Amino acid sequence: MSGPQKRGSEKNGPQESTSFAALRGQLQEAAAAFAGGPDALEGILLGLVDDVDRAVREPLEIFPVCHHSPASATAMARRLRQKQPKVVYLELCEDMAPLLTELRNCRLPVAVQAFAGDVDGFPQEWAPLSVVAPITEASAEYQAIAYALDTPGVELVLVDRSADHVFQWDTRGEKAAEGGEAPEEPEAALHGEAVGVEIGDLRPRFAELEEHLLRHGKVRHWSEWWHQYVEVPLGDSAADHDTYRQVMFLIGSLFRRLAPGDGARVRVDEDRERYMWTRMREHMSATGTDPADALYVCGAFHAASRVDEFGVDGSDTFTVSPRTGTTWQYGLIPSSHAAIEAQFGLAAGSVSIAATEWAKSLKRTRVQAYRLAGQAGAKKRTAKKAVAARPAQPSPAAAPDSAAGDRLSGFLQRPPVIDTLDEAELLGWSVDIVRAARRAGYLASTADAIAVFETSILLAGMRDRAKPTPYDFQDAAVTCIEKDVVPGRRDVRRLVEIMMGGDRIGQVGYEALPPLARDVHDRLAPLGLKLQQRGVQRALLDMASRPELEACSDVLWMLRRLMPHGTARPIMGERKLGERSIQESWDLALGTHQRALIELGYEGVSIEQVLEQRLRRDAYGPRATTATVLAAVEDATLYLGSRRLADELGTHALKVLATERSVDGAPEVLRRVRTLLAYYRTSEPVLPAWIESFVKTGYAHYCTLLPTAFRDEDAAVGQVAAMLGFLFSMEGLALSLGCDRAQLELAVAQSHPEDPSKTALLWAAQVQLGTLSRAELRARCDELLDNPLVVPSYPRYLSGFVHALEPVPGLADVVVEAVSNAFGRLPDQVLLPWLPLLITTLRSGAAELAPLLIREAGRIFPGRLEALDAWVPPWRTPPVAPSARRAGAGEERPRGAALLPAHPATCDAVAGLLGCTEEWGSLGDPAGAVARPGVELLVAHPAACDAVAELLGCDGEWAAPAGGAHATGAVLTHRHPVTSEALESLLTGV
């Protein structure tokens, strides 16, 4: 890489031309007067003139521009109509050329984008890569593009580095630094994390120079300085083409020579200039293009280049590095003024003000701008105007700019043009901002409009300008209206930006969308909505009356899975495994999130393909867990209905589960396996082979990890409870597939936790396995409350018991008893400090299990407050032995004996179900009762009847058959002795 060239080293003509001799002499005298003699200041000042002289004398006409500058766009339109070049070289990524023809199908502003989801040759953490080049109506490059594409015989050649070289030549940290601050408005994020590429990146490269210019120019930010000292003078109709070029060359050279001489950014800039001049010489050599018939459009910073490759006669020593193996996708995405300002560090509202100034400049200078034929959002012109708009033939009087004299001296010595105050325009602004402020909630009045008008003139006078600029008016409006109070969501500064043109948001037309986006629009056409319109639209789907809307529902659910939040939001209806709604309501904002939909099209040609690719990427990624793979299985079944993909991902889940050595994902694994099992059991004749293998493998896997998880301090009690939930809930299926229950018993026996919550969880597991009785568990809880050293840790034991409701839900009554005993036995001085810990422990660790505990407490405790005083907890009621109940011989008939004769139809129905055909007998006939084999069976085996009565909740006592009274169910047994025999055979072990 060559450094800056010395004076007199140019190859394009004499070492020093006489065109700027007078200006050189004046600058030498000024340098001697200010510095007291020749020094570095003289070298800098004369170097500026040399740069301008070199660029002006270049045979290939260089047109320096600044991005989104109305003055540059006006000068470009004027020069194109005058020169009519046959070749236009444009500073834009060369691989973006095929997309420019699609601009006519879009509403500006939009951005040309290069996107790469999978990288090859770059670090993986950079992915995805994105490069955007925003284009607005007030851009000089848009004028060049519109002229080249709509004028027959004109060739447009993009000469800047490719998107691949953008990342080859720069670092992510520097790109992030150039991106500016994070935007506040939602529209400012339209470009996302893309790297911006613009023409005319013209701004001082170090803070000292920019601060000096802002302080002495009496402005707040760079955009205002550029508007006041460059836009206004160059936008004047008196500024001809030669003056414009020389002034822009001078500004570019000034910022270039005062920038730091080292750094990665300077290296990248010089490489870009070598790249562009190399490409232009290659094109001219291949096509035989005459430099006089071509125009080179580039930023003013690059126009004043000093590299050896500069010019058509420059050296050919630069070698373009090859591209990496990254596959790039190209498309157009919506852009906005706020997105451009945020990405390139411009002041808020500056692009909107530039668009307004562009429209005013066209009216003032009567320059007819170029516009692509069929451009969306353009006003249709009449046939008469269309004829007048035809470009004129170049006149012989149009001499090449190389013969132009020194226009720079006259421009620099000319006093500033004193613009007359446009009172009508300023008055209109003042009235409009007061009206907008009233709508936004401000207490603004006519007096405020007058104050804004006068304050704008006052501020402009204090800043040495006769005509207030939009920035002066903005400051005056904030001062006079806002008064440090913002009643609504918009402040006055934002209201002024909206009034000056607002944040115009572009739109990509249907024809310019990728195939996936067009397919989505076509498949959602039955909804009858304007999907490209920005904002939220409500879609109502009644699949019962319109079955064709089921396909739209499928698309919407997939978009909800793939697109950002808010793109497709269900209001009514849900989709779960095995469930489909017959009516749905959606809020759609596809037009607002058009960029995300377009980038989705870079990944495939249909949303089904993209969803399958993402599911595979999630499942086979390096950070994939068992829960992640099971989630992919569920999504594949839910959204795609693909049994093939679900089986493939389920088989992969087995491999991932076998490699896991932690229990972090156990709760999610348990939840998803239960969901999939419930779905397959209700919708499939047999379970898939992979899920049977998963249950079998998971049973052995979690049995192996269980002792370690109980001792591991990093394993939460909820994760261990999920492991036990998997083992206990899947035990029946696992044992049927060949697993051994002894493995679980050994794992529980080898577990020795130290944490109180895990200890309680272990006790619950032992109760479920039968190695610990409920009476022993209650006794251990009582011992904890009796030990004053353990009482402070009792909430943690309760937390373990609550988590135990996941694997052992039958312990809900024991947990309620444990909590109730604590509140009943602990004194207030112990309970009150202990209560907040209990609440926070249960809320943080077992919030999802609290409803089960509350339902059990509601079942046990009385439902009315007045019954609470006389209520006795069931765990304090002494149990009644069956023998004691049989010892009583009461004469009163139990409830069942009176109910059955009153409703014989019920007994006949039950007897018919059981196949009994005997006739009714008499309750008062003891001999008939004893003659029945069922009565003899009851007398011989009273335990069977006691067990049935306990299951039915009956508390009746036994009575002798001779007395004529029977226990609960005795009448039925006397009438149908076969029933008693059947029950006896079922309850033989009781």
Side-chain angles (χ1 to χ4, degrees):
M1 181 183 300
S2 63
Q5 292 179 345
K6 299 181 180 179
R7 291 181 55 205
S9 62
E10 292 89 344
K11 303 177 183 179
N12 303 327
Q15 293 183 353
E16 186 176 284
S17 67
T18 59
S19 300
F20 297 90
L23 182 59
R24 286 191 177 92
Q26 295 176 6
L27 292 178
Q28 286 177 339
E29 295 175 1
F34 282 103
D39 60 353
L41 177 60
E42 179 183 358
I44 293 176
L45 295 179
L46 296 182
L48 299 178
V49 180
D50 292 343
D51 292 340
V52 174
D53 188 17
R54 184 188 187 193
V56 167
R57 290 185 291 110
E58 172 60 34
L60 174 60
E61 180 179 341
I62 303 174
F63 195 96
V65 299
C66 178
H67 199 51
H68 308 304
S69 168
S72 296
T74 304
M76 173 64 71
R78 183 189 295 117
R79 182 56 179 168
L80 289 174
R81 294 194 179 276
Q82 178 186 8
K83 182 182 175 72
Q84 293 290 299
K86 298 180 180 179
V87 178
V88 176
Y89 297 111
L90 186 62
E91 179 195 339
L92 195 62
C93 295
E94 58 184 4
D95 49 345
M96 294 181 176
L99 294 174
L100 299 182
T101 56
E102 297 293 339
L103 288 176
R104 66 179 77 252
N105 298 319
C106 305
R107 180 182 289 107
L108 300 181
V110 296
V112 185
Q113 183 186 37
F115 182 89
D118 298 326
V119 297
D120 182 7
F122 300 105
Q124 289 295 329
E125 57 269 17
W126 288 13
L129 305 180
S130 181
V131 179
V132 296
I135 298 175
T136 64
E137 294 184 6
S139 301
E141 61 268 25
Y142 175 71
Q143 295 298 309
I145 292 171
Y147 163 78
L149 295 182
D150 284 353
T151 304
V154 177
E155 183 179 4
L156 178 65
V157 183
L158 305 186
V159 295
D160 199 2
R161 55 184 174 166
S162 65
D164 197 90
H165 288 91
V166 170
F167 290 92
Q168 287 188 33
W169 295 357
D170 212 341
T171 62
R172 297 305 296 265
E174 293 167 343
K175 294 183 182 69
E178 294 176 6
E181 298 179 356
E184 296 180 359
E185 294 291 330
E187 292 82 1
L190 286 177
H191 295 171
E193 300 296 329
V195 176
V197 177
E198 63 173 347
I199 297 179
D201 184 12
L202 197 56
R203 185 166 182 164
R205 289 298 178 86
F206 62 104
E208 290 78 3
L209 175 58
E210 184 171 347
E211 181 183 358
H212 177 83
L213 294 175
L214 298 184
R215 183 175 66 252
H216 289 275
K218 298 179 181 180
V219 294
R220 292 168 299 147
H221 45 72
W222 171 251
S223 299
E224 186 177 0
W225 185 92
W226 180 266
H227 173 84
Q228 177 63 28
Y229 294 99
V230 180
E231 284 291 332
V232 174
L234 290 182
D236 186 14
S237 58
D240 57 7
H241 173 63
D242 296 331
T243 304
Y244 167 83
R245 290 183 67 212
Q246 294 178 18
V247 170
M248 294 294 286
F249 287 146
L250 178 66
I251 296 174
S253 177
L254 174 67
F255 293 161
R256 191 182 188 97
R257 286 184 176 271
L258 294 182
D262 54 358
R265 188 171 183 180
V266 175
R267 174 184 56 81
V268 170
D269 288 332
E270 293 180 348
D271 283 346
R272 290 180 64 186
E273 292 155 7
R274 295 185 177 96
Y275 192 104
M276 290 187 287
W277 281 109
T278 301
R279 290 301 192 204
M280 285 187 287
R281 283 194 298 270
E282 290 176 354
H283 180 269
M284 287 185 287
S285 176
T287 60
T289 301
D290 187 355
D293 296 332
L295 185 68
Y296 172 35
V297 182
C298 67
F301 189 90
H302 299 295
S305 175
R306 292 169 289 162
V307 297
D308 293 338
E309 289 80 4
F310 178 87
V312 295
D313 297 328
S315 62
D316 292 325
T317 57
F318 182 75
T319 302
V320 178
S321 60
R323 300 186 186 182
T324 64
T326 301
T327 302
W328 290 89
Q329 311 258 352
Y330 301 92
L332 298 171
I333 62 173
S335 185
S336 67
H337 292 170
I340 297 172
E341 293 160 358
Q343 189 166 34
F344 297 105
L346 304 177
S350 58
V351 179
S352 299
I353 293 176
T356 304
E357 293 295 324
W358 160 250
K360 291 169 55 178
S361 176
L362 293 180
K363 293 180 181 180
R364 183 180 68 254
T365 61
R366 299 184 180 276
V367 173
Q368 188 165 352
Y370 286 95
R371 197 177 185 90
L372 288 171
Q375 181 76 61
K379 296 181 180 179
K380 295 183 178 180
R381 301 174 181 175
T382 61
K384 183 177 180 180
K385 289 185 178 181
V387 174
R390 291 178 180 174
Q393 296 296 329
S395 60
D401 287 341
S402 58
D406 178 13
R407 306 294 179 88
L408 193 57
S409 300
F411 181 84
L412 296 177
Q413 295 176 359
R414 186 179 65 185
V417 178
I418 305 299
D419 294 333
T420 58
L421 175 62
D422 191 346
E423 294 187 359
E425 180 186 54
L426 184 59
L427 187 60
W429 287 356
S430 303
V431 173
D432 291 341
I433 190 58
V434 169
R435 184 184 297 112
R438 286 176 180 173
R439 289 195 298 264
Y442 291 88
L443 299 178
S445 62
T446 306
D448 293 315
I450 299 174
V452 172
F453 180 87
E454 297 295 340
T455 306
S456 300
I457 299 175
L458 177 62
L459 288 177
M462 295 174 60
R463 295 167 178 173
D464 296 334
R465 30 188 190 256
K467 180 180 179 180
T469 64
Y471 300 99
D472 298 326
F473 172 76
Q474 189 178 55
D475 293 340
V478 172
T479 303
C480 299
I481 296 178
E482 193 164 290
K483 302 180 181 67
D484 298 331
V485 177
V486 181
R489 65 187 182 93
R490 290 192 177 102
D491 56 8
V492 175
R493 190 175 304 278
R494 178 60 178 157
L495 293 177
V496 174
E497 296 172 7
I498 296 174
M499 189 193 71
M500 289 293 177
D503 184 18
R504 299 178 187 175
I505 300 175
Q507 185 183 68
V508 179
Y510 175 84
E511 295 79 6
L513 292 173
L516 180 143
R518 292 200 299 268
D519 179 64
V520 169
H521 283 270
D522 294 341
R523 295 168 67 177
L524 295 180
L527 297 178
L529 301 177
K530 298 179 180 178
L531 298 177
Q532 288 193 313
Q533 181 178 338
R534 292 184 59 84
V536 179
Q537 303 179 71
R538 179 63 57 86
L540 303 176
L541 287 74
D542 185 4
M543 278 78 76
S545 59
R546 297 182 59 188
E548 67 275 9
L549 294 181
E550 292 184 3
C552 297
S553 175
D554 295 338
V555 173
L556 292 177
W557 284 109
M558 284 187 283
L559 289 177
R560 179 177 179 269
R561 171 65 172 77
L562 295 171
M563 297 284 284
H565 177 72
T567 305
R569 186 168 63 93
I571 304 300
M572 181 184 70
E574 61 179 355
R575 177 163 292 194
K576 297 181 180 179
L577 288 177
E579 299 180 11
R580 292 179 66 95
S581 303
I582 60 174
Q583 288 183 335
E584 294 177 353
S585 176
W586 291 80
D587 276 351
L588 301 181
L590 285 180
T592 304
H593 298 86
Q594 192 182 49
R595 167 183 170 268
L597 182 62
I598 292 173
E599 291 189 348
L600 202 66
Y602 298 155
E603 302 182 38
V605 295
S606 67
I607 51 177
E608 289 84 0
Q609 179 186 2
V610 174
L611 180 56
E612 181 173 347
Q613 289 176 356
R614 291 195 178 183
L615 292 178
R616 292 181 184 275
R617 187 187 311 158
D618 295 340
Y620 290 94
R623 298 182 180 180
T625 61
T626 306
T628 304
V629 181
L630 290 178
V633 174
E634 186 175 345
D635 289 344
T637 306
L638 186 63
Y639 299 115
L640 298 177
S642 175
R643 180 64 181 273
R644 170 193 54 82
L645 181 61
D647 291 346
E648 176 187 343
L649 297 179
T651 304
H652 180 64
L654 289 171
K655 302 177 182 178
V656 178
L657 178 65
T659 59
E660 286 187 348
R661 292 296 177 266
S662 66
V663 295
D664 296 340
E668 186 72 10
V669 171
L670 174 62
R671 185 181 68 84
R672 295 196 177 276
V673 168
R674 282 178 174 174
T675 303
L676 291 170
L677 267 176
Y679 168 73
Y680 286 127
R681 281 171 173 166
T682 55
S683 61
E684 300 286 343
V686 293
L687 291 177
W690 74 266
I691 201 167
E692 292 183 349
S693 302
F694 187 90
V695 171
K696 184 177 179 180
T697 304
Y699 189 86
H701 179 74
Y702 285 133
C703 283
T704 304
L705 295 181
L706 189 61
T708 305
F710 268 113
R711 293 190 303 269
D712 189 3
E713 296 180 356
D714 296 332
V717 61
Q719 297 170 351
V720 182
M723 294 175 60
L724 291 173
F726 184 94
L727 294 172
F728 289 145
S729 61
M730 307 290 170
E731 186 177 14
L733 180 58
L735 295 181
S736 67
L737 296 174
C739 294
D740 190 358
R741 194 170 192 263
Q743 188 176 6
L744 176 58
E745 295 175 350
L746 289 174
V748 173
Q750 293 173 357
S751 301
H752 304 286
E754 298 179 357
D755 184 72
S757 58
K758 292 183 181 180
T759 301
L761 187 61
L762 178 63
W763 293 346
Q766 291 173 348
V767 171
Q768 180 69 13
L769 291 176
T771 58
L772 184 70
S773 65
R774 286 173 172 259
E776 293 174 339
L777 179 61
R778 289 187 173 94
R780 291 185 180 182
C781 293
D782 293 337
E783 292 176 1
L784 294 177
L785 289 175
D786 293 337
N787 189 346
L789 299 178
V790 182
V791 167
S793 302
Y794 194 72
R796 301 179 64 184
Y797 284 95
L798 289 181
S799 176
F801 283 130
V802 174
H803 278 96
L805 297 179
E806 175 72 45
V808 192
L811 282 181
D813 58 336
V814 178
V815 179
V816 173
E817 177 183 347
V819 176
S820 301
N821 288 337
F823 279 86
R825 295 175 54 178
L826 294 177
D828 291 345
Q829 60 269 22
V830 176
L831 184 62
L832 292 180
W834 174 76
L835 190 58
L837 177 61
L838 172 64
I839 296 175
T840 55
T841 301
L842 295 180
R843 177 178 295 177
S844 62
E848 67 279 0
L849 298 172
L852 178 61
L853 194 63
I854 294 173
R855 285 196 301 269
E856 182 65 22
R859 188 185 66 83
I860 295 177
F861 287 91
R864 303 183 63 85
L865 184 61
E866 55 270 15
L868 188 61
D869 294 335
W871 176 73
V872 178
W875 53 85
R876 292 187 180 179
T877 304
V880 180
S883 58
R885 289 185 295 178
R886 288 196 299 269
E891 297 295 332
E892 184 181 355
R893 178 180 296 180
R895 292 175 295 175
L899 187 62
L900 288 174
H903 302 282
T906 305
C907 186
D908 290 336
V910 175
L913 291 175
L914 297 175
C916 301
T917 58
E918 289 83 356
E919 298 296 332
W920 278 84
S922 175
L923 291 175
D925 184 7
V930 176
R932 300 296 183 181
V935 177
E936 296 177 355
L937 188 61
L938 284 176
V939 176
H941 303 282
C945 191
D946 288 338
V948 175
E950 239 184 83
L951 291 175
L952 298 175
C954 302
D955 298 327
E957 300 296 333
W958 278 89
H966 301 271
T968 303
V971 175
L972 181 61
T973 307
H974 176 66
R975 167 68 180 83
H976 305 288
V978 180
T979 306
S980 179
E981 295 173 358
L983 291 174
E984 177 64 16
S985 64
L986 291 175
L987 301 172
T988 304
V990 179

